[in-house]
Amino acid sequence: MDKSRPVGLFEPARLTAVVFLALILTGTLLLMMPFSTAGPQWAPFLPSLFTATSAVSLTGLTVVDTGTYWTPLGQGIILALIQLGGLGIMSLASLSGLILTGRVSFRARQTGAAEGRPVTQGGIRRTLIFTVAFTLVVELLVAVILTLRFMVSYDHTFRRAVWEGVFHSVSAFNNAGFSTNTDNLIPFAADAWVLMPLAAALIGGGLGFPVWAELVRLTRRSQVRVHRISITARMTLTATAFLLFTGAIFMAFAEWNGVFGDMPVWQRVLNAFFASATSRTAGFNTFDYGEAHPITLMGTDILMFIGGGSAGTAGGVKVTTACVLIAAMAAEFLGREDTSIGHRTLPRSVTRQSLALAFAGVAVVTAGIGALRIFDPQFSGDEVSFEVMSAFATVGLSTGITAELSAPSQVILCLIMYLGRVGPTTLIAALAATAVSRRFRYPEERPFIG
C-alpha cells in the first residue's frame, strides 16, 4: 500500500465531505435551541436541518421565514453558517494553523484543494490570506453602501440598518440568497442602490477566488496582456460576461409583458439584469417566480445548472465545465484529435472530468425530480424541476413550494443541497478514497457510437 497517500477518514475528499456534514449537524442543533426561535418552543428538527443545510451549502431555500421565525441570535447563527460555508471550514482551519505555527502542512494543501481552494501562484499562505482578506473587504464595502441606503431611504435605525446591510452583504457575496425580508428583495425591485451592489457582490463571489487573485496580480504589473491570463480566468470571465448579457436579454424578452409588465422601462432592464445575475449563483428574487412564464423557469434552470466560476461561492457544474464540454463537442464535430481553447490544448483528463461532473449533475437532478414527483404529485413538473435544480446548483430560487413539500421531499432536497455544495465528484472521491488502482488493462475494443 502506498503510505504517502492518506487513507480512511483523513483522506482529503472524505475529510471535506465529513467536515461539511458536521457543520450542518452543528448548525442544526444550534437552531433547535430555544434562543434561536422567536416562538416559545424549540424549533423542530426538520426545519432546523433544512435551514442549516441551506445556509452551509449557500443555497437559500427556506421552509420558514428567516426574518420572523428566527431570533436575531438565530439569524446570526445562519449568517455564521453562510460565512463558514463560503470561506470553507478547512480553509479557515488551515489559516488558523498558519497564524499559530507559521506554516501549513501538505495535508492542509490537499484538503484545501478538495474543498475548492486550489493553491494559486504564490503558495498556500498567500492563497489563504487573499481568500479571507478579499472576502471581508468586499463584504464590508457592500455592507456600508447598503447600511447608508437603508438609513437614508427606508428610515431604518442605525442598528437595524447595520444588521440588514451586513446580513445581505454576506449573503450576497457568498451567493447564499438568504434575506431577512419575508418576500426577499421584492421590496427593493425599484431600488438600483440596493440591487446593483448586491449584484456586484454575488457576481464577484461567483467568479472564484483564483480568478480574482490572478486579476489582482496582473494589475500590479505595468501592462495586462491577454496571453498572460490563464485559460481558467479567460473561460470564467468570458463565459460570465456572455451568460450575464444573454441571460438579461432572455429574462427581458420572456417577462417584458409578464411579471415586468407594470414596471417602467428602466426598472424592467434593471430587474432583467439582476435576475440573470442571481439565477446562476445567489437566489435573490425581485419578483415572484411562481407567477413567471414556464419558458422563464426553463431558461433559469439552464442558467442555474451552469452556475458560476470554480473555487468560488457559486454552485452548478461551473462555467469552465460548460466551456470544456462545448470545446470537446466542437473538436469532435470538426474531426480534430485534440480539444483546444484559446490556443491551448486541454488534457484529455480534463474533458473526462467535465463529462463525469456534468453527467453526475444530470443524474442527481433527474433522480431528485423523480423522487419529488412521487412524494408530491400535486405540484407541476415545472415547479418540481425548478426546485430540484435550484437545490443542486445551490441557487435558492423557488416558485414558492418549498415549505409545502412533504417531509421526505424536504429531506431529499437537503441531500441534494449537500451534494451540490460538496460536489458530486468530491463525494464520489470520498466514497472511493480507499480504492486500489488497477495494475492492468483490458484489451481494447471500439464500440459503435451514435
Side-chain angles (χ1 to χ4, degrees):
M1 182 177 65
D2 184 5
K3 296 182 179 180
S4 64
R5 179 184 175 185
V7 295
L9 181 63
F10 297 104
E11 195 277 339
R14 178 170 293 178
L15 181 61
T16 299
V18 170
V19 167
F20 273 106
L21 180 60
L23 182 60
I24 289 173
L25 295 178
T26 302
T28 301
L29 292 176
L30 291 175
L31 290 176
M32 290 178 65
M33 296 294 102
F35 52 73
S36 296
T37 57
Q41 298 180 346
W42 292 24
F45 172 75
L46 185 54
S48 300
L49 173 66
F50 194 96
T51 303
T53 305
S54 184
V56 173
S57 64
L58 311 178
T59 303
L61 288 175
T62 58
V63 292
V64 294
D65 181 43
T66 304
T68 59
Y69 189 86
W70 307 107
T71 62
L73 182 56
Q75 295 173 21
I77 293 172
I78 293 173
L79 196 65
L81 294 175
I82 293 172
Q83 190 73 86
L84 289 172
L87 285 173
I89 190 67
M90 297 308 299
S91 295
L92 290 177
S94 299
L95 182 62
S96 300
L98 174 64
I99 294 173
L100 293 174
T101 66
R103 60 186 295 273
V104 179
S105 66
F106 176 70
R107 180 167 293 175
R109 296 168 182 258
Q110 291 181 306
T111 54
E115 190 180 56
R117 298 288 185 270
V119 180
T120 58
Q121 183 175 340
I124 186 69
R125 179 191 300 267
R126 185 169 297 179
T127 301
L128 290 172
I129 293 176
F130 175 82
T131 298
V132 176
F134 183 77
T135 298
L136 296 180
V137 168
V138 174
E139 289 176 351
L140 178 61
L141 178 61
V142 175
V144 169
I145 297 174
L146 294 178
T147 298
L148 294 175
R149 186 62 175 175
F150 291 149
M151 290 178 61
V152 173
S153 300
Y154 297 93
D155 296 327
H156 287 0
T157 63
F158 176 75
R159 183 177 180 180
R160 182 185 175 189
V162 169
W163 175 243
E164 295 283 343
V166 170
F167 191 96
H168 286 89
S169 175
V170 173
S171 182
F173 182 77
N174 289 285
N175 286 250
F178 275 87
S179 175
T180 54
N181 298 307
T182 301
D183 44 4
N184 208 269
L185 299 185
I186 292 178
F188 310 112
D191 194 339
W193 285 99
V194 172
L195 297 186
M196 293 308 293
L198 290 177
L202 63 91
I203 293 170
L207 286 178
F209 295 103
V211 172
W212 279 111
E214 186 172 347
L215 293 176
V216 170
R217 186 175 65 251
L218 289 173
T219 55
R220 293 177 179 176
R221 300 178 181 179
S222 57
Q223 284 184 327
V224 179
R225 298 178 181 178
V226 175
H227 70 271
R228 288 181 177 177
I229 301 178
S230 69
I231 189 65
T232 298
R234 274 185 278 173
M235 285 192 295
T236 302
L237 293 172
T238 302
T240 297
F242 174 79
L243 290 173
L244 282 173
F245 180 73
T246 56
I249 293 177
F250 168 79
M251 290 292 180
F253 177 79
E255 297 295 343
W256 192 265
N257 294 317
V259 293
F260 298 157
D262 296 331
M263 301 179 182
V265 173
W266 69 269
Q267 189 177 340
R268 298 184 192 184
V269 174
L270 172 65
N271 282 264
F273 171 78
F274 189 82
S276 175
T278 193
S279 294
R280 294 189 306 109
T281 52
F284 288 120
N285 64 285
T286 57
F287 60 89
D288 184 3
Y289 276 86
E291 299 178 357
H293 193 280
I295 193 65
T296 302
L297 301 182
M298 186 186 74
T300 305
D301 284 338
I302 297 174
L303 292 174
M304 290 193 293
F305 187 76
I306 295 174
S310 300
T313 55
V317 297
K318 305 297 189 295
V319 292
T320 48
T321 302
C323 290
V324 170
L325 291 178
I326 293 174
M329 291 174 59
E332 188 65 28
F333 292 154
L334 296 175
R336 296 174 181 170
E337 185 70 20
D338 298 321
T339 301
S340 60
I341 296 178
H343 304 292
R344 294 291 186 272
T345 299
L346 304 180
R348 293 187 178 182
S349 61
V350 172
T351 304
R352 291 175 57 188
Q353 290 170 359
S354 299
L355 286 169
L357 178 58
F359 184 80
V362 171
V364 170
V365 170
T366 302
I369 292 173
L372 261 66
R373 292 286 282 169
I374 292 174
F375 290 115
D376 289 279
Q378 69 273 24
F379 297 116
S380 69
D382 288 335
E383 292 173 323
V384 170
S385 300
F386 194 83
E387 199 80 9
V388 173
M389 188 68 75
S390 180
F392 170 75
T394 66
V395 175
L397 294 175
S398 175
T399 56
I401 68 172
T402 313
E404 300 175 16
L405 292 171
S406 62
S409 292
Q410 292 182 3
V411 172
I412 291 171
L413 287 183
C414 286
L415 177 59
I416 293 175
M417 288 189 288
Y418 174 72
L419 284 172
R421 179 64 184 94
V422 174
T425 53
T426 299
L427 189 63
I428 292 171
L431 297 175
T434 58
V436 179
S437 60
R438 294 187 304 189
R439 299 180 181 275
F440 61 90
R441 294 181 62 187
Y442 291 112
E444 185 175 298
E445 182 178 352
R446 182 181 179 88
F448 290 105
I449 302 296

